[in-house]
Amino acid sequence: MHKTLSVAKDTWWVGVNDYETDLFESLWPLPQGVAYNAYVVLGDKTAAIDTVKGPWFDDYFDKVTSALDGRPLDYLVVNHMEPDHAGVIGSLRCAYPDLQLIGNAKTLPLLREYHGIEEGVVQVKDGENLDLGGHLLAFYTIPMVHWPESMVTFDSATKVLFSNDAFGGYGAHEGGLFDDEKPRERWEGEMLRYYATIVARYSGMVQTALKKLSALDIAGIYPAHGTLFREDIGQAVELYDRWSKQETESGVVVAYGSMYGNTRRMAEAVCRGISEGGVKNVRLYDAARSDTSQILRDIWRYKGLVLLGCTYNTLLFPAVDALCTKLINRMLKKRVLGIAGSYSWSKGALDALRAFADTVKLEKIGPEVEVFAAPTEADLEQCVELGKNMAKAVA
Ligand SMILES: Cc1cc2nc3c(=O)[nH]c(=O)nc-3n(C[C@H](O)[C@H](O)[C@H](O)COP(=O)(O)O)c2cc1C
Ligand SMILES: [Fe+2]
Ligand SMILES: [Fe+2]
């Protein structure tokens, strides 16, 4: 077994698989784990590209020293200051006191505040190069994808783009690192779930970054999480282009909140209508019990969204309300929206969903259905009708 893996000429993967973090950013479940990809490039000078999350220093350092094979580490490129990649900068500096850190103007204050590091830092401008001797590294800022200091590094010798969180996905490596070593269905869903949870809000900035990087002659995209692309980098670029333009597939996500099953029955009737309308991709989610990251992933994939909630203490049922907040935050666009609510005295749920619809300005598909207590046959028929209309709208 190798301590580290060669991933291009003079280039080593020194990342780690993390199966121990249950929730990424204390929010998003990791059923397949997550990888923190980091790299070492060996020229006349040596450089590490990114580090890993704090608890993984020993594993990372073991791989870094194996890749260096007795040489010192001259540079650390800090593409991103989020602690899943910058967590062990201080420890690495202790191991290599002469280590020069490479960052941009936005990186430096974060290095100072997170790690107390001000010395031995080289500030690079957008597009600036660092010549390692045999490998010329160029740095490009990609602001707000997904932090202000986010940056990518391009090695013109290998044509590898070290893209940090851009093009990243959840899921630890299961032996293979590359797109040609894994089935697409094993990584694409986890890459989209990562996009929907972490990157989606900044889709406009992703478009800016894609345009900026399009001039580069790229042979490999090596992100800081998930699959490395070398066989078909076009597929990764195409997915990112599509997701950031909020282009969708035919299908409908139906998410509901229900305490005693009445609103659930309405949701099921909507799904039946969608199915009768000939659309196969229907995803029904109980918002209170389902993993929100999966709901967000599927909302990012499909054109149709139906939200249903019962009224709870005059307001929209909390789990649906929380989902609405996440969608507003992600600036959801280019979807068609259906809404329905239930109540027994004051009402409230459907009004809140109407306010949500006004905020996100999505095209609304009728009918709006509002049910008193338990849905009647006629109410359920209205729900089926909504489903059929959704099917037409997403076909
Ligand atoms: C704890 C609780 C709080 C509720 N608050 C309201 C309310 O403020 N206004 C209202 O019109 N209905 C309220 N309801 C009634 C529900 O919205 C209504 O019974 C609805 O049909 C429940 O749908 P479900 O069976 O899908 O849970 C409340 C019900 C419960 C159990
Ligand atoms: Fe990040
Ligand atoms: Fe990250």
Side-chain angles (χ1 to χ4, degrees):
M1 183 61 199
H2 314 281
K3 277 193 176 174
T4 177
L5 292 167
S6 168
V7 288
K9 184 173 182 290
D10 307 325
T11 308
W12 301 87
W13 179 81
V14 295
V16 299
N17 275 335
D18 176 0
Y19 279 103
E20 292 174 21
T21 300
D22 300 313
L23 295 175
F24 191 79
E25 295 181 347
S26 291
L27 282 168
W28 317 113
L30 295 170
Q32 298 175 37
V34 65
Y36 312 114
N37 297 327
Y39 307 89
V40 163
V41 180
L42 304 177
D44 297 334
K45 297 276 187 182
T46 63
I49 318 278
D50 298 320
T51 72
V52 296
K53 196 177 161 185
W56 300 99
F57 179 70
D58 286 354
D59 196 341
Y60 169 75
F61 188 64
D62 195 31
K63 287 173 177 151
V64 169
T65 51
S66 161
L68 290 170
D69 197 19
R71 297 178 62 184
L73 184 63
D74 298 308
Y75 298 104
L76 169 66
V77 177
V78 183
N79 278 329
H80 182 26
M81 279 300 299
E82 190 168 359
D84 55 335
H85 310 293
V88 304
I89 290 178
S91 307
L92 198 63
R93 181 43 101 52
C94 286
Y96 298 107
D98 297 329
L99 183 68
Q100 298 281 301
L101 306 189
I102 312 284
N104 59 66
K106 296 260 167 67
T107 321
L108 271 49
L110 294 172
L111 266 176
R112 187 185 64 231
E113 297 303 319
Y114 272 114
H115 299 286
I117 294 177
E118 290 186 90
E119 302 296 313
V121 179
V122 181
Q123 184 181 324
V124 291
K125 292 200 185 69
D126 190 20
E128 201 171 325
N129 295 319
L130 173 72
D131 195 350
L132 297 180
H135 291 268
L136 187 67
L137 302 183
F139 310 104
Y140 299 97
T141 59
I142 51 165
M144 295 321 300
V145 182
H146 64 124
W147 274 27
E149 84 302 352
S150 291
M151 176 170 101
V152 297
T153 300
F154 182 67
D155 180 350
S156 51
T158 54
K159 300 182 179 174
V160 167
L161 181 74
F162 300 98
S163 63
N164 197 265
D165 281 338
F167 303 101
Y170 297 123
H173 300 295
E174 299 162 299
L177 299 177
F178 288 97
D179 55 343
D180 53 286
E181 297 177 319
K182 307 177 182 190
R184 182 167 173 146
E185 62 270 19
R186 195 70 183 146
W187 57 260
E188 190 186 330
E190 283 295 81
M191 188 172 162
L192 176 54
R193 195 166 67 90
Y194 184 87
Y195 189 89
T197 50
I198 308 294
V199 187
R201 174 177 165 77
Y202 307 104
S203 288
M205 285 76 164
V206 171
Q207 277 293 312
T208 306
L210 288 176
K211 288 192 181 84
K212 181 174 189 171
L213 301 174
S214 65
L216 298 175
D217 178 18
I218 300 171
I221 297 179
Y222 294 7
H225 301 286
T227 300
L228 284 57
F229 296 92
R230 67 178 174 194
E231 184 184 57
D232 185 358
I233 67 152
Q235 65 184 335
V237 175
E238 193 193 316
L239 287 173
Y240 249 57
D241 189 40
R242 212 149 36 83
W243 294 339
S244 56
K245 283 181 181 154
Q246 301 212 31
E247 286 172 5
T248 50
E249 298 168 31
S250 172
V252 185
V253 174
V254 178
Y256 67 91
S258 176
M259 295 174 279
Y260 294 107
N262 294 292
T263 317
R264 175 179 47 74
R265 289 176 62 208
M266 295 162 63
E268 286 169 342
V270 171
C271 289
R272 184 63 217 160
I274 297 165
S275 179
E276 284 177 16
V279 170
K280 289 186 188 163
N281 282 318
V282 187
R283 300 285 181 273
L284 176 62
Y285 285 112
D286 177 341
R289 289 183 178 74
S290 305
D291 164 14
T292 307
S293 71
Q294 280 186 38
I295 307 178
L296 291 171
R297 178 198 62 198
D298 287 345
I299 289 174
W300 222 261
R301 175 173 287 155
Y302 295 120
K303 182 162 184 205
L305 173 63
V306 181
L307 295 175
L308 308 95
C310 57
T311 305
Y312 188 81
N313 293 344
T314 74
L315 301 173
L316 177 60
F317 188 70
V320 182
D321 187 60
L323 180 60
C324 289
T325 302
K326 289 186 174 68
L327 295 174
I328 292 167
N329 183 264
R330 283 164 180 72
M331 296 182 258
L332 190 73
K333 294 186 182 75
K334 299 187 188 171
R335 307 297 195 286
V336 290
L337 176 70
I339 54 174
S342 67
Y343 69 99
S344 287
W345 59 93
S346 63
K347 298 192 176 177
L350 188 63
D351 283 339
L353 285 168
R354 285 189 187 119
F356 164 75
D358 290 345
T359 305
V360 290
K361 298 188 180 71
L362 297 177
E363 181 190 340
K364 262 169 63 181
I365 304 297
E368 278 181 4
V369 188
E370 188 164 45
V371 166
F372 174 43
T376 61
E377 237 357 87
D379 291 330
L380 292 175
E381 267 165 35
Q382 286 284 93
C383 292
V384 172
E385 188 62 24
L386 170 58
K388 284 183 180 165
N389 292 340
M390 287 300 294
K392 268 188 227 137
V394 304

